[in-house]
Amino acid sequence: DTGVSQNPRHKITKRGQNVTFRCDPISEHNRLYWYRQTLGQGPEFLTYFQNEAQLEKSRLLSDRFSAERPKGSFSTLEIQRTEQGDSAMYLCASSLGLAAISTDTQYFGPGTRLTVL
Amino acid sequence: AQSVTQPDIHITVSEGASLELRCNYSYGATPYLFWYVQSPGQGLQLLLKYFSGDTLVQGIKGFEAEFKRSQSSFNLRKPSVHWSDAAEYFCAFLTGGGNKLTFGTGTQLKVEL
């Protein structure tokens, strides 16, 4: 068990550019989640996948954001035409996706810190 | 509205002193509650969770939390704080049918030596 990994750890970009982040979940974890954390706030849910299917998207996820999880393994989160308000830490988490949610713990990666200049 | 409130943004305690971090929730039913800790450069680490049963929950690193339905609270405690406990602590609960965590704004803990 190597944990959830995210790349890159830091990204600095100019406003208007596109960026893509990658998340590799714990192997055999069926569920994968994306959260966004801004300074001084707790993480906020963005979206989640059950295997390759994206089952829920938050209203925070504007049409500039797109997430994929091809083949139900790693996931990518792309932000098009970045804005300064997109500056945040983007966190990925994974879980087994058990039917008994009492035992389905979300394990978080270290995050990707995005700075939009 | 479903929400989690952590009233204390910053708390400073001396090493060896006891600690209590407050968490209040607003939810229509009995929530599934969590405490996570976040250190700089680290991901969120689960300290403990409550789903049902015994209202006093034991976690890792010597932490415990008590669920009080009458007060809508789930406060985190530790009898003796270590300098390595300095971090940000988040209370959260599961919503959306168990598919997403709703977090509080966090409490930053500073430990004085």
Side-chain angles (χ1 to χ4, degrees):
Chain A
D1 180 356
T2 57
V4 179
S5 61
Q6 293 187 245
N7 288 289
R9 296 291 304 276
H10 303 274
K11 179 71 177 178
I12 300 174
T13 190
K14 294 182 179 179
R15 189 177 54 188
Q17 297 295 304
N18 299 344
V19 294
T20 300
F21 311 139
R22 177 178 171 126
C23 170
D24 287 272
I26 294 171
S27 59
E28 86 261 7
H29 276 196
N30 295 321
R31 287 195 176 181
L32 187 148
Y33 310 79
W34 285 100
Y35 292 82
R36 182 174 69 186
Q37 185 178 17
T38 53
L39 202 61
Q41 300 296 317
E44 297 172 290
F45 172 82
L46 292 178
T47 188
Y48 93 95
F49 293 82
Q50 175 78 33
N51 298 312
E52 66 275 9
Q54 188 174 18
L55 297 186
E56 188 171 349
K57 290 171 30 174
S58 163
R59 284 173 293 178
L60 293 174
L61 215 63
S62 74
D63 55 6
R64 295 185 299 104
F65 288 70
S66 63
E68 295 182 341
R69 193 184 183 197
K71 303 178 183 178
S73 56
F74 70 91
S75 175
T76 58
L77 178 67
E78 181 183 16
I79 309 175
Q80 296 181 327
R81 305 180 303 281
T82 53
E83 302 173 355
Q84 289 184 325
D86 296 331
S87 294
M89 177 78 84
Y90 290 83
L91 296 166
C92 177
S94 70
S95 72
L96 281 167
L98 298 172
I101 60 176
S102 61
T103 55
D104 195 35
T105 299
Q106 293 186 28
Y107 295 89
F108 283 81
T112 294
R113 181 168 295 284
L114 172 67
T115 302
V116 181
L117 302 176
Chain B
Q2 301 170 351
S3 64
V4 177
T5 302
Q6 294 181 248
D8 305 305
I9 299 174
H10 300 277
I11 282 185
T12 300
V13 299
S14 299
E15 188 175 38
S18 63
L19 171 70
E20 182 169 27
L21 302 182
R22 296 183 292 165
C23 172
N24 294 95
Y25 65 88
S26 174
Y27 192 66
T30 300
Y32 295 151
L33 292 157
F34 303 79
W35 275 99
Y36 281 85
V37 60
Q38 186 177 39
S39 300
Q42 305 294 317
L44 288 157
Q45 183 181 21
L46 179 67
L47 288 175
L48 47 77
K49 59 185 179 183
Y50 171 78
F51 288 113
S52 63
D54 192 348
T55 56
L56 185 62
V57 181
Q58 301 298 318
I60 63 171
K61 304 185 179 185
F63 285 93
E64 65 178 27
E66 186 171 12
F67 171 65
K68 292 186 177 180
R69 185 190 307 275
S70 61
Q71 298 178 19
S72 298
S73 69
F74 188 56
N75 294 349
L76 182 70
R77 301 193 295 246
K78 187 169 184 177
S80 177
V81 172
H82 189 263
W83 64 266
S84 61
D85 292 325
E88 189 153 25
Y89 291 79
F90 292 94
C91 182
F93 65 73
L94 270 178
T95 55
N99 300 321
K100 57 187 176 184
L101 289 165
T102 296
F103 287 86
T105 52
T107 297
Q108 185 72 46
L109 174 65
K110 180 180 176 182
V111 180
E112 291 183 332
L113 300 176

